[in-house]
mmCIF file of all heavy atoms in Angstrom:
data_model
loop_
_atom_site.group_PDB
_atom_site.id
_atom_site.type_symbol
_atom_site.label_atom_id
_atom_site.label_comp_id
_atom_site.label_asym_id
_atom_site.label_seq_id
_atom_site.Cartn_x
_atom_site.Cartn_y
_atom_site.Cartn_z
ATOM 1 N N TRP A 145 -11.232 -15.689 29.231
ATOM 2 C CA TRP A 145 -12.080 -14.502 29.115
ATOM 3 C C TRP A 145 -11.687 -13.427 30.118
ATOM 4 O O TRP A 145 -11.700 -12.231 29.810
ATOM 5 C CB TRP A 145 -13.550 -14.908 29.307
ATOM 6 C CG TRP A 145 -14.459 -13.753 29.063
ATOM 7 C CD1 TRP A 145 -14.882 -13.280 27.886
ATOM 8 C CD2 TRP A 145 -15.004 -12.889 30.069
ATOM 9 N NE1 TRP A 145 -15.678 -12.190 28.055
ATOM 10 C CE2 TRP A 145 -15.770 -11.923 29.393
ATOM 11 C CE3 TRP A 145 -14.930 -12.837 31.463
ATOM 12 C CZ2 TRP A 145 -16.457 -10.923 30.063
ATOM 13 C CZ3 TRP A 145 -15.611 -11.836 32.130
ATOM 14 C CH2 TRP A 145 -16.356 -10.883 31.438
ATOM 15 N N LEU A 146 -11.329 -13.860 31.308
ATOM 16 C CA LEU A 146 -10.936 -12.874 32.318
ATOM 17 C C LEU A 146 -9.691 -12.124 31.892
ATOM 18 O O LEU A 146 -9.583 -10.910 32.091
ATOM 19 C CB LEU A 146 -10.681 -13.582 33.658
ATOM 20 C CG LEU A 146 -11.922 -13.898 34.470
ATOM 21 C CD1 LEU A 146 -11.555 -14.729 35.681
ATOM 22 C CD2 LEU A 146 -12.613 -12.616 34.929
ATOM 23 N N LYS A 147 -8.760 -12.848 31.270
ATOM 24 C CA LYS A 147 -7.537 -12.188 30.791
ATOM 25 C C LYS A 147 -7.887 -11.098 29.787
ATOM 26 O O LYS A 147 -7.384 -9.974 29.849
ATOM 27 C CB LYS A 147 -6.631 -13.220 30.114
ATOM 28 C CG LYS A 147 -5.465 -13.667 30.962
ATOM 29 C CD LYS A 147 -4.520 -14.508 30.161
ATOM 30 C CE LYS A 147 -4.916 -15.924 30.389
ATOM 31 N NZ LYS A 147 -4.146 -17.002 30.194
ATOM 32 N N ASN A 148 -8.748 -11.459 28.856
ATOM 33 C CA ASN A 148 -9.116 -10.484 27.827
ATOM 34 C C ASN A 148 -9.907 -9.320 28.422
ATOM 35 O O ASN A 148 -9.732 -8.171 28.020
ATOM 36 C CB ASN A 148 -9.918 -11.176 26.731
ATOM 37 C CG ASN A 148 -9.059 -12.149 25.954
ATOM 38 O OD1 ASN A 148 -7.869 -11.910 25.771
ATOM 39 N ND2 ASN A 148 -9.643 -13.240 25.500
ATOM 40 N N PHE A 149 -10.727 -9.637 29.372
ATOM 41 C CA PHE A 149 -11.505 -8.593 30.019
ATOM 42 C C PHE A 149 -10.587 -7.597 30.706
ATOM 43 O O PHE A 149 -10.802 -6.376 30.655
ATOM 44 C CB PHE A 149 -12.461 -9.240 31.025
ATOM 45 C CG PHE A 149 -13.285 -8.259 31.808
ATOM 46 C CD1 PHE A 149 -14.302 -7.550 31.204
ATOM 47 C CD2 PHE A 149 -13.047 -8.044 33.154
ATOM 48 C CE1 PHE A 149 -15.064 -6.647 31.919
ATOM 49 C CE2 PHE A 149 -13.821 -7.147 33.884
ATOM 50 C CZ PHE A 149 -14.823 -6.455 33.269
ATOM 51 N N LYS A 150 -9.548 -8.142 31.289
ATOM 52 C CA LYS A 150 -8.600 -7.270 31.975
ATOM 53 C C LYS A 150 -7.924 -6.335 30.973
ATOM 54 O O LYS A 150 -7.780 -5.140 31.210
ATOM 55 C CB LYS A 150 -7.543 -8.143 32.653
ATOM 56 C CG LYS A 150 -6.628 -7.380 33.551
ATOM 57 C CD LYS A 150 -5.799 -8.329 34.360
ATOM 58 C CE LYS A 150 -4.384 -7.797 34.376
ATOM 59 N NZ LYS A 150 -3.440 -8.701 34.921
ATOM 60 N N THR A 151 -7.525 -6.904 29.830
ATOM 61 C CA THR A 151 -6.857 -6.056 28.828
ATOM 62 C C THR A 151 -7.761 -4.924 28.370
ATOM 63 O O THR A 151 -7.318 -3.797 28.162
ATOM 64 C CB THR A 151 -6.496 -6.888 27.578
ATOM 65 O OG1 THR A 151 -6.377 -8.236 27.929
ATOM 66 C CG2 THR A 151 -5.234 -6.376 26.935
ATOM 67 N N THR A 152 -9.045 -5.226 28.222
ATOM 68 C CA THR A 152 -9.947 -4.203 27.699
ATOM 69 C C THR A 152 -10.197 -3.097 28.701
ATOM 70 O O THR A 152 -10.228 -1.921 28.355
ATOM 71 C CB THR A 152 -11.299 -4.847 27.348
ATOM 72 O OG1 THR A 152 -11.069 -6.096 26.730
ATOM 73 C CG2 THR A 152 -12.109 -3.968 26.437
ATOM 74 N N ASN A 153 -10.445 -3.496 29.917
ATOM 75 C CA ASN A 153 -10.970 -2.514 30.876
ATOM 76 C C ASN A 153 -10.019 -2.252 32.019
ATOM 77 O O ASN A 153 -10.434 -2.171 33.174
ATOM 78 C CB ASN A 153 -12.297 -3.022 31.447
ATOM 79 C CG ASN A 153 -13.309 -3.256 30.351
ATOM 80 O OD1 ASN A 153 -13.574 -2.371 29.546
ATOM 81 N ND2 ASN A 153 -13.859 -4.435 30.299
ATOM 82 N N GLU A 154 -8.723 -2.101 31.711
ATOM 83 C CA GLU A 154 -7.717 -1.907 32.777
ATOM 84 C C GLU A 154 -8.093 -0.827 33.755
ATOM 85 O O GLU A 154 -8.066 -1.015 34.967
ATOM 86 C CB GLU A 154 -6.382 -1.486 32.167
ATOM 87 C CG GLU A 154 -5.576 -2.533 31.478
ATOM 88 C CD GLU A 154 -4.821 -3.468 32.380
ATOM 89 O OE1 GLU A 154 -4.904 -3.372 33.621
ATOM 90 O OE2 GLU A 154 -4.155 -4.335 31.817
ATOM 91 N N LEU A 157 -10.806 -1.351 36.433
ATOM 92 C CA LEU A 157 -10.723 -2.411 37.429
ATOM 93 C C LEU A 157 -10.311 -1.883 38.792
ATOM 94 O O LEU A 157 -10.705 -2.432 39.815
ATOM 95 C CB LEU A 157 -9.720 -3.473 36.959
ATOM 96 C CG LEU A 157 -10.187 -4.252 35.716
ATOM 97 C CD1 LEU A 157 -9.116 -5.203 35.273
ATOM 98 C CD2 LEU A 157 -11.450 -5.014 36.028
ATOM 99 N N VAL A 184 -10.345 -10.318 39.505
ATOM 100 C CA VAL A 184 -9.915 -10.805 38.195
ATOM 101 C C VAL A 184 -8.574 -11.528 38.299
ATOM 102 O O VAL A 184 -8.375 -12.598 37.720
ATOM 103 C CB VAL A 184 -9.841 -9.631 37.196
ATOM 104 C CG1 VAL A 184 -9.311 -10.094 35.866
ATOM 105 C CG2 VAL A 184 -11.211 -9.010 37.014
ATOM 106 N N GLU A 185 -7.667 -10.948 39.111
ATOM 107 C CA GLU A 185 -6.361 -11.588 39.300
ATOM 108 C C GLU A 185 -6.526 -12.973 39.885
ATOM 109 O O GLU A 185 -5.905 -13.933 39.458
ATOM 110 C CB GLU A 185 -5.527 -10.755 40.279
ATOM 111 C CG GLU A 185 -4.873 -9.551 39.684
ATOM 112 C CD GLU A 185 -3.981 -9.910 38.539
ATOM 113 O OE1 GLU A 185 -3.310 -10.979 38.585
ATOM 114 O OE2 GLU A 185 -3.974 -9.150 37.552
ATOM 115 N N ILE A 188 -7.627 -15.346 37.360
ATOM 116 C CA ILE A 188 -6.616 -15.741 36.376
ATOM 117 C C ILE A 188 -5.591 -16.679 36.995
ATOM 118 O O ILE A 188 -5.171 -17.664 36.400
ATOM 119 C CB ILE A 188 -5.935 -14.488 35.783
ATOM 120 C CG1 ILE A 188 -6.975 -13.666 34.987
ATOM 121 C CG2 ILE A 188 -4.795 -14.876 34.863
ATOM 122 C CD1 ILE A 188 -6.441 -12.373 34.473
#
Side-chain angles (χ1 to χ4, degrees):
Chain A
W145 186 81
L146 279 174
K147 257 189 266 200
N148 292 327
F149 177 71
K150 188 170 137 190
T151 336
T152 319
N153 301 307
E154 285 282 1
L157 293 176
V184 176
E185 280 303 323
I188 295 175

